[in-house]
Amino acid sequence: MPQTIRAAVCRAFGEPMRIEDVTLADPGPDEVLVAVKACAICHSDITYADGGWGGDLPLVLGHEAAGLVEAVGDNVSHVRPGDTVVVTLIRACGACHYCSAGRDYLCETVFDLDRRSPLTDASGAPLGHGLRTGAFAEKLVVEKSQLARVDPAIPFESASLLACGAITGVGAVTNTAKMPRGAHAAVIGCGGVGLNAVQGARIAGAASIIAIDLSREKLDAAERLGATATIDPIHEDAVDKVLAATGGRGADFVFVASGAPAALESAASYVGKAGTVVIVGMPHSDVTIGYNPSNVASWGQRILGSKMGSACVCRDVPHLAGLYGDGVLQLDWLVTARYTLDQINEAIAATRAGQGLRNVIVF
Ligand SMILES: [Zn+2]
Ligand SMILES: [Zn+2]
């Protein structure tokens, strides 16, 4: 039976979300119904809600979630009702050209849920399934590939970070860049994703990790996670400091975990010869930046795009949950504020203002 649940509905770009009673369809044979327990606010939700990527409205956003499985379709065997799960936006068939190459995040299969959203509003009009998840709601329905079971000992708020911030940040280092031990890493933008890139660099055995951000709070958090140098580029000479921290050579890997054009552009001045710039943050779709192709060619540099940490949900979520269980991956204290669904616009305003490390809606 379709259920009536409460959800935060985005009806106009740039306007506050509204809490409404909406109808959630039953899960199909390859789908899973999850009671949402925590959903972190990610900058991607905000960019979408601001109209930065275009797209259709109205819809329910929220894609960084953890919860309890409530019901599964007939073809679902990897999770059962009662399981604690992390819910991601990566929907993968396992068989297409990209999935076959391990690039699940680029899966080209069109699923039932891509054709029809499981959500309708009180008048029966369709509501979009934002970022393929719709987790700013008491419950959600997703395709079976979008979730992974985790140890129920992980607090839901911490587990929710595994869905996006952690797999995106750590995965940029380990999956996309395949950064070798002993490299000099720099991370520009130390929000929920960038801090996880700092952790990823530490886990990968970086020789040095230079954290670059405008916020002292975020730089302090980066130090706690393993950054060996921090730079506030407004008040310090960032290029000098990067050179000093890397024996005068520049960084081997620069991870840009910010969508700000100035941050994206600055990466070229920190990266050394044979160095790699990894674009991790998702700028608005109209942003372009300039770079010097002659330097890139003559210095043998690379520019890589990293979508969702090049993650495979069924491999990376359990792996990172294991690192959390071993005390290697920090998540708990990255959750700096909790809000109810009714307070979602406050949570978004705080995230937009750069307050806190990760703001989480708890149910
Ligand atoms: Zn996200
Ligand atoms: Zn596929």
Side-chain angles (χ1 to χ4, degrees):
M1 281 287 289
Q3 309 188 38
T4 301
I5 57 163
R6 296 174 73 247
V9 179
C10 177
R11 289 201 172 268
F13 291 132
E15 305 249 315
M17 295 181 189
R18 297 210 306 238
I19 307 301
E20 300 181 18
D21 285 336
V22 308
T23 303
L24 181 67
D26 287 334
D30 293 298
E31 295 162 12
V32 180
L33 171 68
V34 176
V36 180
K37 296 296 176 189
C39 183
I41 310 272
C42 174
H43 277 282
S44 297
D45 297 306
I46 297 175
T47 301
Y48 196 109
D50 284 346
W53 295 327
D56 295 324
L57 294 178
L59 85 173
V60 177
L61 288 160
H63 66 280
E64 190 161 337
L68 289 172
V69 173
E70 200 165 290
V72 303
D74 289 343
N75 299 338
V76 178
S77 55
H78 69 310
V79 295
R80 288 179 307 194
D83 282 350
T84 297
V85 288
V86 167
V87 184
T88 77
L89 58 72
I90 302 171
R91 190 176 287 165
C93 72
C96 71
H97 172 77
Y98 295 104
C99 285
S100 301
R103 302 189 192 283
D104 294 23
Y105 51 95
L106 295 176
C107 177
E108 54 190 358
T109 293
V110 177
F111 294 81
D112 273 356
L113 282 174
D114 294 315
R115 285 185 282 258
R116 48 137 199 105
S117 166
L119 295 162
T120 44
D121 72 10
S123 71
L127 278 176
H129 199 215
L131 298 169
R132 294 177 136 185
T133 314
F136 291 151
E138 292 169 328
K139 297 184 184 185
L140 56 78
V141 167
V142 288
E143 210 275 337
K144 62 187 178 190
S145 60
Q146 290 180 252
L147 36 76
R149 188 156 47 97
V150 293
D151 186 337
I154 306 182
F156 287 112
E157 326 58 305
S158 302
S160 73
L161 305 192
L162 291 171
C164 179
I167 59 173
T168 303
V170 177
V173 178
T174 58
N175 293 332
T176 309
K178 296 186 170 55
M179 194 181 82
R181 295 187 70 78
H184 292 297
V187 177
I188 306 174
C190 295
V193 171
L195 289 174
N196 278 295
V198 169
Q199 306 208 64
R202 190 195 75 235
I203 292 165
S208 65
I209 305 168
I210 305 151
I212 303 168
D213 199 285
L214 306 177
S215 151
R216 190 64 245 172
E217 180 196 11
K218 293 193 165 104
L219 292 176
D220 288 345
E223 270 187 323
R224 204 172 150 189
L225 291 169
T228 53
T230 62
I231 301 174
D232 168 353
I234 297 286
H235 297 105
E236 296 174 279
D237 188 323
V239 173
D240 275 2
K241 232 176 146 178
V242 169
L243 290 174
T246 56
R249 291 204 317 265
D252 299 312
F253 291 85
V254 179
F255 299 92
V256 190
S258 162
L264 287 153
E265 216 137 41
S266 70
S269 53
Y270 307 140
V271 68
K273 291 176 180 169
T276 303
V277 173
V278 185
I279 299 173
V280 187
M282 294 284 287
H284 286 209
S285 41
D286 60 354
V287 168
T288 56
I289 60 161
Y291 70 98
N292 182 323
S294 170
N295 287 351
V296 174
S298 60
W299 293 342
Q301 296 169 328
R302 299 186 300 163
I303 301 171
L304 300 177
S306 184
K307 183 180 182 188
M308 296 299 295
S310 307
C312 167
V313 173
C314 59
R315 174 194 66 199
D316 291 352
V317 171
H319 175 62
L320 293 182
L323 290 178
Y324 167 86
D326 293 342
V328 174
L329 186 77
Q330 309 275 304
L331 296 175
D332 297 342
W333 61 267
L334 297 182
V335 177
T336 42
R338 293 160 184 78
Y339 298 83
T340 65
L341 184 62
D342 292 293
Q343 296 171 311
I344 188 156
N345 292 309
E346 286 168 53
I348 287 172
T351 306
R352 202 192 287 280
Q355 290 164 16
L357 302 175
R358 214 49 160 176
N359 299 306
V360 179
I361 306 294
V362 291
F363 295 81

